[in-house]
Amino acid sequence: MATIISHALIPLSLGLVLNRDKYPWRLIIAGMLCAMLPDLDVLMFKFGVAYESPFGHRGFTHSLAFAAAIAAMLTLLSRYLKTAKARIFGFIFIAAASHGVLDAMTTGGLGVEFFWPVSLQRYFFPVQFIQVSPIGLHNFMTARGLQVIQSELVTIWLPCLVFVSLINIYSHQRTKP
């Protein structure tokens, strides 16, 4: 998996380039939390659920169905999130689904169950360039964890920064008289 903090960068980056009147900070923060949410499945290890189980790590919580369910539930908060239900659904769906996308680009694990419950097949993308993060804080606070952070700075953080910067430069250029 990518580190939990790096998962939040995708909705944050999108939120930084979208119209703030239509995509308020409350929605962006909700998106960031929903992008991290699928990794709560690591708690299943405490209950003896095997990694390869549909209810194990990178199982149903990493699926497109889970992303859609979370997005649908958050549309009920449209008044609190101060935007239209369709915008909430789209933004939250992309935020939650981005978690599995990043994990499918990692160098380890068993793949991602994108199509649960229709299929229990796990997938990786053909290009896997994000170093897999150790699971658990104890395992993460090692030289290996530092190596993963350094890798993610180049493979996730830098591309997000470039994306936001380029969109903002383009938008600024378009609004010049």
Side-chain angles (χ1 to χ4, degrees):
M1 71 181 167
T3 59
I4 197 157
I5 297 300
S6 290
H7 282 294
L9 286 177
I10 304 303
L12 175 61
S13 297
L14 287 174
L16 289 173
V17 300
L18 294 171
N19 180 325
R20 196 73 61 247
D21 292 335
K22 295 180 180 178
Y23 296 87
W25 276 109
R26 288 179 183 191
L27 178 60
I28 295 165
I29 291 168
M32 293 169 67
L33 293 171
C34 288
M36 296 186 289
L37 182 65
D39 273 344
L40 282 179
D41 64 7
V42 298
L43 297 175
M44 298 308 284
F45 291 135
K46 301 267 187 212
F47 299 104
V49 176
Y51 187 121
E52 62 275 4
S53 165
F55 301 102
H57 187 50
R58 292 187 177 177
F60 87 96
T61 62
H62 288 58
S63 71
L64 297 174
F66 183 81
I70 294 301
M73 284 191 284
L74 285 184
T75 62
L76 300 174
L77 300 176
S78 63
R79 188 173 301 152
Y80 174 76
L81 295 172
K82 299 186 183 215
T83 195
K85 289 180 180 183
R87 277 193 204 97
I88 293 169
F89 184 88
F91 189 82
I92 298 299
F93 177 80
I94 289 169
S98 73
H99 188 107
V101 170
L102 286 181
D103 279 2
M105 291 188 270
T106 63
T107 58
L110 299 178
V112 176
E113 266 182 40
F114 282 115
F115 304 110
W116 175 93
V118 176
S119 170
L120 301 182
Q121 176 70 38
R122 289 175 179 245
Y123 297 89
F124 278 111
F125 289 137
V127 178
Q128 297 163 283
F129 54 88
I130 300 171
Q131 290 188 24
V132 70
S133 177
I135 296 175
L137 187 59
H138 177 72
N139 294 329
F140 187 75
M141 301 308 259
T142 62
R144 172 84 180 109
L146 180 59
Q147 184 181 20
V148 168
I149 289 292
Q150 291 170 334
S151 165
E152 288 184 4
L153 288 173
V154 173
T155 60
I156 301 172
W157 291 66
L158 182 60
C160 286
L161 177 63
V162 168
F163 168 75
V164 170
S165 298
L166 290 175
I167 297 296
N168 284 329
I169 289 168
Y170 174 76
S171 296
H172 182 71
Q173 293 296 324
R174 278 191 44 205
T175 58
K176 278 188 174 180

